[in-house]
């Protein structure tokens, strides 16, 4: 029986809040309102964080996050358990974000990625003076990362957030987005390089 | 990573074995791992209690009929139990009042006067009856001689 530790990330989050996923899902399938409330408690902030970064609009993100849980509640009886509860929820969230983006006819910004004319290793860092894990507390750097995430295409952003923020596996992401695993890896590489490029530019400007 | 491979990645073309391996290595390189860790530490969103309350209302509105029935039955049972408890309490409260202190007879001032008047009246009637019982018949004298002869 697996534990739903994904709801509260390890080790940054408290493992004591871990809940039994299988039992919870079984209860939720019977439309148990209270059990579903526990599920919402476990995931609401993470789902909201994901949707907010995807839509880049707080108000809209709040609405869509509610929609995610409403859809989940309606579809819980049909949840077969093949995917994890987490990836199922994020799949719903992703689909709703895509729908919302289509509705407002949002122009999907394409990633402007120009390889270095000099050829090889265009994204390699020579300067290792920055270290994201050490500089994590610096709000400025966080802001740069947030900006970089916001400025990439929806496709890249989704993969980056699902993998690096939500710690979903390649298979889970591929399943959620209905794309090949190889494409997930390609997008992840490009997304990270985009963020790295932004941070590098920021560091060079700061020197 | 060379530009051709990057171009392939951008166009989402399929990769050969060597390219796939190179991509894998890049994703597990130090820079990528550090960046991944930094991203994982970005803060989540935080929804408000009002938001949560609104969601609960929406979910409750969609709750199946059975749940609503259960809810309403629970409400009926609990309210009946409360009503029964109140009734029982009231009953025992009244009961205990009866045994502890019996109510004193309420006699008004007028009633007292009535009772006294009744007593006086009945005394008078008794006296009258006594007088009647001890009545001595008197024969009236027909003439002065007869009158004088009685004394």
């Amino acid at each position: 029986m697996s534990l739903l530790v994904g709801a509260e990330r390890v080790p940054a989050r408290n493992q004591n809040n871990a809940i039994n996923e299988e039992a919870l899902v079984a209860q939720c399938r019977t439309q148990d309102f209270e059990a579903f409330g526990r599920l919402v408690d476990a995931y609401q902030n993470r789902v909201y964080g994901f949707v907010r970064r995807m839509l880049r609009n707080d108000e809209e993100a709040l609405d869509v996050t509610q929609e995610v849980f409403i859809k989940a509640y309606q579809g819980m009886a049909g949840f077969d358990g093949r995917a994890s509860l987490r990836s199922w929820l994020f799949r719903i969230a992703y689909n709703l974000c895509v729908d919302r983006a289509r509705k407002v006819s949002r122009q999907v910004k394409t990633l402007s990625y120009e390889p270095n004319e000099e050829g090889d290793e265009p994204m390699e860092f020579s300067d290792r003076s920055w270290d994201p894990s050490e500089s994590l507390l610096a709000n400025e750097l966080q802001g740069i990362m947030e900006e970089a995430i916001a400025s990439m295409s929806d496709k890249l952003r989704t993969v980056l957030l699902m993998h690096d923020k939500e710690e979903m596996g390649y298979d889970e992401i591929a399943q959620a987005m209905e794309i090949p695993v190889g494409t997930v890896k390609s997008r992840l590489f490009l997304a990270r390089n985009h963020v790295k490029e932004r941070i590098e530019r920021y560091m060079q400007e700061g020197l | 990573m060379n530009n051709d491979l990057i171009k392939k990645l951008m166009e989402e073309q399929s990769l050969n074995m060597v390219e796939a391996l190179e991509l894998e290595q890049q994703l597990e390189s130090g820079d990528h791992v550090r960046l991944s860790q930094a991203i994982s530490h970005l803060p989540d969103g935080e929804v408000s209690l009002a938001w949560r309350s609104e969601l609960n209302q929406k979910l409750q509105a969609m709750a199946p009929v059975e749940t609503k029935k259960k809810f309403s039955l629970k409400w009926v049972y609990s309210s009946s139990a409360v009503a029964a408890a109140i009734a029982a309490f009231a009953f025992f409260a009244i009961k205990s009042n009866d045994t502890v202190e019996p109510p004193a007879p309420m006699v008004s001032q007028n009633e007292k006067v009535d009772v006294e008047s009744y007593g006086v009246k009945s005394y008078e009637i008794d006296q009258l009856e006594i007088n009647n019982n001890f009545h001595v018949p008197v024969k009236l004298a027909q003439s002065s001689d007869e009158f004088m002869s009685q004394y």
Side-chain angles (χ1 to χ4, degrees), chain A residues 13 37 41 44-45 48 53 62 66 113 115-116 122 125 128 131-132 136 164-165 185-187 192, chain B residues 1 3 6 9 12 24 27 31-32 34-36 38-47 51-52 58:
Chain A
R13 301 171 196 210
D41 286 340
Q44 59 185 14
N45 287 338
Y48 171 60
R53 287 189 175 97
L62 286 169
Q66 282 195 348
Y113 183 86
N116 194 330
F125 281 98
R128 293 189 179 275
D131 183 343
L136 194 64
D164 288 348
K165 182 77 183 79
K185 290 178 181 176
S186 302
R187 289 182 185 179
R192 282 181 183 168
Chain B
M1 189 176 279
N3 288 342
I6 289 171
L9 296 178
E12 296 188 347
E24 202 77 50
L27 287 172
D31 283 346
H32 274 259
R34 278 195 294 275
L35 186 62
S36 175
I39 290 169
S40 75
H41 285 91
L42 288 174
D44 283 331
E46 199 169 327
V47 296
W51 177 91
R52 182 58 199 277
K58 286 179 183 174

Side-chain angles (χ1 to χ4, degrees), chain A residues 74-131:
Chain A
Q74 288 171 329
M76 189 52 86
F79 174 59
D80 55 11
R82 275 185 297 178
S84 70
L85 185 63
R86 178 186 59 172
S87 54
W88 182 65
L89 274 177
F90 279 97
R91 182 178 185 164
I92 295 172
Y94 166 71
N95 286 332
L96 285 172
C97 288
V98 170
D99 288 349
R100 189 59 71 107
R102 279 183 192 144
K103 272 181 196 168
V104 297
S105 304
R106 179 175 287 126
Q107 292 287 324
V108 178
K109 292 178 186 172
T110 52
L111 175 63
S112 57
Y113 183 86
E114 295 295 330
N116 194 330
E117 283 182 6
E118 290 171 10
D120 292 343
E121 310 295 335
M123 289 296 164
E124 204 59 45
F125 281 98
S126 53
D127 177 13
R128 293 189 179 275
S129 59
W130 71 275
D131 183 343

Side-chain angles (χ1 to χ4, degrees), chain B residues 32-78:
Chain B
H32 274 259
V33 171
R34 278 195 294 275
L35 186 62
S36 175
Q37 286 170 350
I39 290 169
S40 75
H41 285 91
L42 288 174
D44 283 331
E46 199 169 327
V47 296
S48 64
L49 286 174
W51 177 91
R52 182 58 199 277
S53 171
E54 193 185 327
L55 175 64
N56 275 354
Q57 283 176 355
K58 286 179 183 174
L59 292 173
Q60 209 144 26
M62 297 187 323
V65 181
E66 204 173 307
T67 312
K68 284 181 181 171
K69 245 185 204 172
K70 270 184 192 172
F71 175 76
S72 57
L73 278 176
K74 268 185 190 173
W75 188 85
V76 167
Y77 290 148
S78 58

